Amino acid sequence: DNTGGDNTGGDNTGGTEPPAGGEVTGSTLTVSRTTMTGFEWTENSYGSQNIADLSTYLSWTINGASFIGAKMCIPGEAAFADFAIQCQGNASETAKQARFGNTTSLGKITKITVISHNLKYAPNFNLAVGTSQVVGTAVPSGMITAESMSTSTKTESSYTTYTTVYTPSSDAGYFAIYNNTVGALYFSEIIVEYTAE
């Protein structure tokens, strides 16, 4: 079901402890190259990030909430290299499908805004939300497609910027973006609005 249902499945952490989070603060957080700290970025390659092994995932904390992700790097595409994050995409091989999300509950997520960029193609990713952690080694069922969300566009000098918005219909405290589709996703910001517990 890709029409907007919430995924409330179980823990997908594969038995590995996620990074410890603290007390979640604020009401808005932004996932970006500025806020993703505590690790070394690779350029146009994914280094040792292995979808099947959570210990190889990138991990970071924003506003007290912990996040993990894999198959993410600085883009090789010159138009985005200075500001975006490249997320590998593949429709058939799980090992080549980027994913990232929070491992600490944000309480109630009220809006998720994805700002992405591409030379030719509209955003093509899937979003999972739930009451338990939805990022991990397994791809959740029932995700929401980017094309079913509200998207506006702005033409830049050499590329297009897409603003894609999703508003959860339930008390989801967790989200994850999976790129189990064809083509890389290049995003500069994921803005998450929430009411902390």
Side-chain angles (χ1 to χ4, degrees), residues 7-183:
N7 182 303
T8 55
D11 188 347
N12 267 337
T13 60
T16 301
E17 250 339 278
E23 181 178 345
V24 176
T25 61
S27 59
T28 303
L29 63 79
T30 301
V31 179
S32 68
R33 278 182 35 190
T34 303
T35 61
M36 295 172 68
T37 60
F39 56 85
E40 292 290 324
W41 282 109
T42 52
E43 294 186 26
N44 200 29
S45 78
Y46 303 101
S48 61
Q49 298 170 44
N50 179 353
I51 293 302
D53 183 356
L54 284 181
S55 70
T56 67
Y57 281 40
L58 306 177
S59 62
W60 65 96
T61 303
I62 306 170
N63 289 8
S66 292
F67 290 79
I68 59 172
K71 297 302 179 183
M72 306 169 74
C73 68
I74 292 175
E77 179 57 62
F80 319 129
D82 291 339
F83 62 88
I85 295 167
Q86 176 178 311
C87 301
Q88 187 175 27
N90 192 285
S92 57
E93 291 185 62
T94 303
K96 297 178 180 178
Q97 298 171 351
R99 73 266 328 265
F100 63 92
N102 59 318
T103 60
T104 305
S105 177
L106 296 173
K108 180 179 180 180
I109 296 172
T110 56
K111 185 189 285 188
I112 300 170
T113 303
V114 179
I115 301 175
S116 62
H117 317 273
N118 209 302
L119 300 175
K120 298 180 181 178
Y121 305 109
N124 195 16
F125 62 87
N126 289 309
L127 173 69
V129 294
T131 55
S132 60
Q133 181 178 324
V134 288
V135 61
T137 57
V139 178
S141 60
M143 290 190 290
I144 302 99
T145 63
E147 66 182 13
S148 70
M149 299 177 216
S150 169
T151 298
S152 59
T153 61
K154 178 181 177 185
T155 303
E156 310 286 350
S157 58
S158 62
Y159 58 89
T160 302
T161 294
Y162 300 88
T163 301
T164 305
V165 179
Y166 177 70
T167 304
S169 58
S170 67
D171 292 348
Y174 296 85
F175 82 96
I177 289 181
Y178 285 79
N179 200 17
N180 56 334
T181 56
V182 175

